[in-house]
Amino acid sequence: MRIVVVSAEVSPWAKTGGLGDVCGALPKALAGRGHLVTTVSPRYKNYPDAWDTGVRARFHLFGMDHEVGFHHCQDEAGAHHIFVDHPSYQRPGIYGDSSGAYGDNLFRFALLSRAAIEAAARVPLNGECVGEDVVFHINDWHTALLPLYLKAIYQPAGRFLRAATVLGLHNLGHHGTSAAHTFAGLDVSARWWPALDFGGNLNVLKTGLTLADKLVAVSPTYAREITDNLGFGLEGMLAARRGDLVGILNGIDATWDPATDPHIAANYTPEDLSGKLLCKTALQRRMGLAVRPDTPLFGVVARLDHQKGIDLISELTPWLVRQEVQLVVLGSGSRELSEFFRGLSANVPRQVGAHIGFDEALAHQIEAGADAFLMPSRFEPCGLNQLYSMRYGTPPIVHATGGLADTVETWSPATGRGTGWAFRPLSVEALREAIGWALYTYRKHPDAWQAIQLNGMRRDSSWNQSALRYEAVYRAALGE
Ligand code: ADP
């Protein structure tokens, strides 16, 4: 198959969260299975590994002509990556800066969607273009205008007639909403307005939900939840498309493997966990905590966003501090939570360490160095950090929602099964109880603790199974 994955984020070039990880890793797995696959994403800055192809394209958007260029590289797995070059992408943030989201995001991502279609037709990848018989795998609202452009501009002109579109749903919390008058900037006929109209506003995600051939949510539970109560107002529309909607869990990339991870103090495997203690010591040192091998150390790596439920952890911190545990938090986002954790680590520096910002290496060091991982997300489409923490022998304590419910099995001493603790309902009390069970097991039953670690480390979170499922969806979208 010929597959074009279109995304605002493709790791390692651009990432704010799981969207970037998925769009970096899935193409590799697909390329490894023999498909011609390329990503198309913005060229946010100069990427030294990507070369200018010399191909240019012009689009009329928001009342003006805009020219884009296309840079290209190929990764070690054989997947291609095309980066769309336009001045509006070269800014400090992907979506916004400290004063909020960029005001021209609708333009920036409409441009990306149009450029991705031209890229398929015109950008040579080692001599050959992807062509028009292609599956566009678009992702979240940013690229959800692509099916509209195919239907409104290309297909009426006899182009891309056999192309299919699959919309990946990584987070229903963002719709790409703007005032109705912005529709005029999109350069499509007024008869398409109903596909974008949501309560009198323009809603980009709705367009994709309506016009894409197939929809993929990033876990089976999330696929159900978004037709029920977690669709942020789009539940009815999603329920109407239930027959075209599936849930496919994300896998994790080979860069998240404690046996080979270059970011951590010592490598380790399920057969020999001794390196993990060195990672813990190194993390305690780096974060200025007391260096104590026996003190349970909890890790958090997250966007400090309402979604992630980090406020529940902040409410529990007086209790946590009394339990004589340590806590390391890496995150950025909410000013209030950032200040809270900064303040807490200043007050009890031997017990709490906080790093406010984005730090890829530290994220790996926390996964490896912590004893357990906290992820009380209010909703979680798939979640990657709980997969990483299981892989790193760091049992996760999670709210049983979305992909967390699908991937973390609560430890059962009776059966010896389980990889962590999945609690419900979402409450400080239920989180406290789950942490209580983890502490009890860690302190009183080290053999059981190790069994939980090994269950998690041996869990298959590779992309192979998921890539097979995506292939089936692509074939269905193509009508095969
Ligand atoms: P989401 O996509 O909602 O942010 P996921 O758990 O799916 O949540 O993915 C989060 C990804 O972003 C993980 O790879 C995680 O390590 C990374 N991440 C989140 N915040 C930070 C941070 N402050 N520094 C480094 N990595 C981060």
Side-chain angles (χ1 to χ4, degrees):
M1 273 183 285
R2 293 165 173 260
I3 303 154
V4 179
V5 176
V6 193
S7 176
E9 303 180 25
V10 177
S11 176
W13 296 277
K15 160 176 161 179
T16 65
L19 173 65
D21 283 331
V22 173
C23 295
L26 175 62
K28 286 190 205 162
L30 292 166
R33 297 182 48 76
H35 302 293
L36 176 62
V37 50
T38 185
T39 65
V40 181
S41 65
R43 182 171 177 263
Y44 294 110
K45 56 186 180 215
N46 179 37
Y47 301 130
D49 47 348
W51 297 86
D52 190 350
T53 60
V55 177
R56 299 279 180 275
R58 290 177 80 81
F59 307 102
H60 192 77
L61 281 170
F62 288 86
M64 280 171 64
D65 280 339
H66 304 271
E67 185 175 283
V68 301
F70 298 93
H71 291 232
H72 167 246
C73 69
Q74 194 171 12
D75 67 31
E76 68 287 357
H80 296 270
H81 301 281
I82 296 172
F83 302 101
V84 180
D85 190 33
H86 185 269
S88 69
Y89 297 135
Q90 276 134 37
R91 296 182 188 162
I94 293 180
Y95 307 111
D97 55 25
S98 53
S99 24
Y102 298 131
D104 59 351
N105 276 346
L106 180 62
F107 159 71
R108 295 167 79 226
F109 294 118
L111 186 67
L112 176 63
S113 301
R114 296 206 56 178
I117 300 173
E118 286 300 323
R122 295 177 43 199
V123 175
L125 311 171
N126 301 345
E128 186 195 7
C129 297
V130 178
E132 297 196 356
D133 294 347
V134 57
V135 182
F136 288 102
H137 177 169
I138 55 179
N139 294 278
D140 279 350
W141 80 263
H142 323 108
T143 48
L145 288 172
L146 192 147
L148 173 70
Y149 284 127
L150 281 179
K151 288 184 195 295
I153 295 179
Y154 288 85
Q155 291 174 345
R159 300 190 56 199
F160 287 93
L161 295 177
R162 283 187 300 273
T165 48
V166 173
L167 171 60
L169 298 167
H170 304 257
N171 193 331
L172 264 288
H174 305 279
H175 294 185
T177 305
S178 57
H181 68 82
T182 56
F183 175 75
L186 296 180
D187 200 32
V188 292
S189 124
R191 79 181 184 83
W192 290 99
W193 168 245
L196 291 120
D197 176 15
F198 192 65
N201 284 320
L202 184 153
N203 184 313
V204 177
L205 188 62
K206 179 197 160 178
T207 322
L209 293 180
T210 313
L211 301 181
D213 297 307
K214 297 284 172 193
L215 310 174
V216 178
V218 287
S219 68
T221 295
Y222 194 57
R224 278 195 303 279
E225 289 172 338
I226 56 179
T227 61
D228 180 15
N229 64 333
L230 291 181
F232 288 87
L234 296 173
E235 290 86 353
M237 221 163 284
L238 283 154
R241 295 219 55 196
R242 213 174 253 136
D244 292 316
L245 168 65
V246 296
I248 302 178
L249 278 173
N250 295 331
I252 62 179
D253 190 76
T255 52
W256 292 91
D257 183 350
T260 51
D261 190 333
H263 297 295
I264 61 180
N267 292 118
Y268 56 93
T269 61
E271 290 70 43
D272 178 6
L273 279 168
S274 53
K276 187 160 170 63
L277 185 57
L278 298 175
C279 293
K280 178 171 178 177
T281 307
L283 181 63
Q284 287 172 324
R285 284 221 173 84
R286 172 164 181 184
M287 301 306 291
L289 306 176
V291 178
R292 289 204 196 110
D294 296 335
T295 300
L297 170 50
F298 291 90
V300 175
V301 180
R303 291 182 292 111
L304 300 180
D305 183 285
H306 187 69
Q307 178 198 339
K308 299 292 176 183
I310 306 299
D311 49 308
L312 272 73
I313 301 175
S314 71
E315 278 190 52
L316 256 193
T317 49
W319 176 80
L320 275 173
V321 168
R322 284 200 305 279
Q323 303 309 302
E324 296 185 6
V325 304
Q326 294 178 328
L327 175 68
V328 169
V329 177
L330 166 63
S332 60
S334 142
R335 184 166 302 170
E336 201 184 327
L337 284 168
S338 305
E339 278 166 15
F340 173 83
F341 284 109
R342 269 207 198 100
L344 188 67
S345 88
N347 284 340
V348 279
R350 309 294 281 165
Q351 271 186 278
V352 178
H355 182 100
I356 304 305
F358 195 91
D359 188 328
E360 183 81 28
L362 182 56
H364 287 246
Q365 289 155 13
I366 293 173
E367 293 290 5
D371 291 303
F373 195 85
L374 301 180
M375 206 160 164
S377 307
R378 291 196 157 74
F379 70 95
E380 193 58 79
C382 176
L384 290 169
N385 279 307
Q386 84 282 10
L387 300 178
Y388 301 151
S389 63
M390 287 189 279
R391 172 67 61 84
Y392 280 70
T394 307
I397 297 167
V398 305
H399 173 219
T401 179
L404 298 174
D406 290 336
T407 55
V408 179
E409 190 182 349
T410 293
W411 165 248
S412 157
T415 63
R417 285 173 56 96
T419 55
W421 286 268
F423 66 86
R424 57 160 71 90
L426 181 82
S427 67
V428 174
E429 203 35 61
L431 172 62
R432 188 208 317 257
E433 196 177 316
I435 294 177
W437 279 114
L439 281 175
Y440 167 76
T441 311
Y442 180 88
R443 286 182 162 140
K444 304 281 184 212
H445 297 282
D447 290 350
W449 188 263
Q450 197 178 49
I452 303 168
Q453 288 182 297
L454 295 181
N455 287 348
M457 292 180 85
R458 293 188 171 131
R459 182 182 186 281
D460 181 8
S461 302
S462 68
W463 267 104
N464 300 337
Q465 286 304 320
S466 307
L468 275 173
R469 296 202 170 95
Y470 272 102
E471 272 178 25
V473 175
Y474 297 155
R475 287 196 201 286
L478 286 166
E480 288 178 8

